[in-house]
């Protein structure tokens, strides 16, 4: 086992990884930016190395600085967390070349899954169902027109380099195809430096359900069941559950087997997540993409399976076999997680940075809070504003909702606006409680909530928020123009660009 691990991340996930290190008697080394010198993760680590100024391109994304920090402190392995460098295959290569262990999958598996078209090809080759469509990039508008006719409208245009909804367009009729094609292409070029697109038949009212997989270096691959992630806002997950409210053991086994087949096909090791769209009526499922990292929502799987995913990641990276066989995996009870953000739900989820001047964190039966902040913490404008992940476990879905409701009511944060009031309303919403929702839930719920709150349907305040976001976005673009940001950095400027583009917001985990 390793004696010392460097954690190339910040916030709640750095804290989570430090905790796994402690359990394994491994000494954790933190890295931090100048803005994070007083952060919780720095205080909890045994050693901490400053890797640069506040902007992530100059600190958390600087590969040489991160590797130097590991060398200087004699760390043997690097855990990337999520976001930042977690899915950067060149970083994984650099870590390996420095004689260190990258706690994650082989770079080759990351590369295959990094391109949506090669990922779809790998799924087809592994016998995993994909949404009907192309596995090659489209060569022209004419080809797109021909294929759209062939598969039948509505279709989706998606960026090959994409994920998280960027460069994605729903096209319902032939006459919309040209402008959707042009817009998706330029959005993809801007976001990824790659304008290639592919086409899929659109699945209507789908659920987003993902399977957690785990593989070791001895050929063992298991799945740890599903997470229901249909509750998303602008392609950002808001609430995640394990199991899905569908709770269908047959479907779980089929999707789990498919995910394991895919992991095997790309020689995967470590923790990974295979995302599917599920058509609720037929329960047909289709491979969407594979995330080659530990995900934000991993705690709900941990609470229901009893398996410590971060501990398992570390031990698999050290060469140990998986601690569990497929037949030993059991799912007990139900867990639901809320992503508590420093954002104002009453003002179009506009970021709300600042100092936390009062904090009351909920505890009690079935409650877990994975947090990166304490009283007096400063929530910076430079990073994703996730404050904590509040998760509840119960014997049944109903009991987990009861406990979550109680915990959300106990939770108090002052000094900044948070999404807590939004969650307090969701856990009382009939559609949520019934569990019969799809990826359109947040849009329907937000309309209901707006009417209840203000008495009128509408979008008051949104325009001002969008203008402010646009100004801030262009300022940041200008500041960064001397140093072309990586995809991860573009993504960490998150919602600014997302709001300006008016719809697709990127997955902040990337
Ligand atoms: C789809 C789809 C319907 N049909 N693909 C959105 C993000 C990206 N990862 C894939 N996404 C979708 N792809 C086909 N062929 C609907 C979505 C989608 C969605 C998926 C998961 C969670 C929320 C979503 C919200 C809107 C659209």
């Amino acid at each position: 086992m390793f004696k010392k691990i460097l954690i190339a991340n910040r916030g709640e996930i750095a804290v989570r990884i430090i905790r796994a290190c402690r359990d394994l008697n491994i000494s954790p080394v933190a890295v931090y930016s100048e803005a994070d010198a007083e952060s919780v993760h720095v205080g909890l680590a045994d050693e901490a190395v400053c890797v640069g100024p506040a902007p992530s391109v100059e600190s958390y994304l600087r590969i040489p600085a991160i590797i130097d920090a590991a060398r200087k402190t004699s760390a043997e392995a690097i855990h990337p967390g999520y976001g930042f460098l977690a899915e950067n295959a060149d970083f994984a290569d650099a870590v390996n070349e420095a004689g260190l262990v990258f706690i994650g999958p082989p770079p080759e598996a990351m590369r295959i899954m990094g391109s949506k078209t090669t990922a779809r090809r790998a799924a087809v080759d592994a016998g995993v169902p994909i949404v009907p469509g192309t596995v090659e990039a489209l060569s022209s508008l004419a080809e797109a027109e021909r294929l759209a006719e062939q598969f039948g409208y509505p279709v989706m245009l998606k960026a090959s380099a994409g994920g998280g909804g960027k460069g994605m367009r729903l096209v319902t009729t032939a006459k919309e195809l040209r402008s959707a094609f042009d817009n998706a292409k330029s959005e993809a070029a801007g976001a990824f430096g790659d304008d290639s697109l592919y086409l899929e038949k659109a699945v209507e009212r789908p659920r987003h359900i993902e399977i957690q997989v785990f593989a070791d270096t001895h050929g063992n691959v298991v799945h740890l069941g599903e997470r229901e992630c249909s509750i998303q806002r602008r392609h950002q997950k808001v609430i995640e559950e394990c199991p899905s409210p569908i709770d269908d053991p047959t479907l779980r086994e089929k999707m789990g087997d498919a995910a394991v087949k895919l992991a095997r096909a790309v020689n995967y090791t470590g923790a990974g997540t295979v995302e599917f769209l599920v058509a609720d009526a037929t329960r047909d499922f289709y491979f969407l993409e594979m995330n080659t990292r530990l995900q934000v929502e991993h705690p709900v799987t941990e609470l229901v399976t009893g398996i410590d995913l971060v501990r398992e990641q570390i031990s698999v990276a050290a060469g140990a076999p998986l601690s569990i066989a497929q037949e030993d995996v059991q799912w007990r009870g139900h867990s639901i997680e809320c992503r508590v953000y420093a954002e104002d739900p009453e003002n179009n989820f506009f970021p709300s940075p600042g100092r936390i001047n009062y904090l009351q964190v909920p505890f009690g039966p079935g409650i877990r809070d994975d947090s990166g902040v304490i009283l007096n913490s400063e929530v910076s404008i430079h990073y994703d504003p996730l404050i904590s992940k509040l998760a509840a476990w119960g014997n049944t879905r109903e009991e987990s909702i009861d406990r979550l409701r109680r915990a959300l009511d106990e939770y108090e944060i002052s000094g900044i606006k948070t999404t807590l009031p939004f969650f307090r309303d969701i856990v009382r919403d009939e559609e949520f409680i019934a569990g019969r929702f799809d990826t359109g839930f947040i849009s329907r719920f937000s309309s209901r909530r707006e009417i209840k709150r203000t008495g009128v349907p509408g979008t008051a305040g949104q325009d001002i928020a969008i203008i402010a976001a646009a100004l801030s976005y262009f300022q940041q673009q200008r500041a960064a123009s001397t140093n072309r940001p990586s995809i991860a950095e573009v993504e960490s400027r998150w919602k600014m660009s997302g709001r300006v583009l008016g719809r697709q917001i990127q997955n902040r985990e990337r």
Side-chain angles (χ1 to χ4, degrees), residues 131 156 158 163-165 168 200-204 206 208 229-230 232 235 275 277 288-289 439:
V131 187
M156 305 282 276
K158 297 187 178 185
M168 187 176 89
E200 284 179 359
K201 186 158 180 58
V203 179
E204 283 172 73
H208 171 127
C229 301
S230 296
Q232 303 196 7
H235 303 299
E275 295 184 355
L277 287 179
L288 211 49
E289 47 194 78
T439 52

Side-chain angles (χ1 to χ4, degrees), residues 226-228 239-245 297-305 332-338 366 368 390-397 399-401 404 432:
E226 83 280 14
R227 290 183 290 260
E228 165 79 59
I239 291 191
E240 305 97 347
E241 319 190 19
C242 176
S244 164
E297 60 271 26
H298 75 276
V300 293
T301 299
E302 295 189 322
L303 286 166
V304 169
T305 63
R332 185 166 164 261
H334 195 99
S335 179
I336 307 179
E337 174 187 278
C338 296
R368 167 174 168 179
L390 179 64
W393 181 89
N395 289 288
T396 60
R397 183 168 188 267
E399 188 178 47
S400 79
I401 294 173
L404 185 58
F432 174 73

Side-chain angles (χ1 to χ4, degrees), residues 5 11 24 31 38 70 74 138 148 200-201 231 237 249-250 287 297 303 323 332 343 364 398 406 432 456 498 504:
I5 290 176
L24 288 162
V31 295
E38 310 285 311
S74 307
L138 298 163
E200 284 179 359
K201 186 158 180 58
I231 300 192
K237 291 166 190 159
T250 311
F287 169 74
E297 60 271 26
L303 286 166
S323 71
R332 185 166 164 261
E343 295 176 337
E398 188 187 16
R406 176 247 299 164
F432 174 73
V456 285
Q504 284 86 20

Side-chain angles (χ1 to χ4, degrees), residues 7 114 192 194 203 263 382 410 417 445:
I7 298 142
F192 310 113
D194 173 358
V203 179
H382 291 102
E410 254 180 53
K417 298 271 176 50
F445 168 76

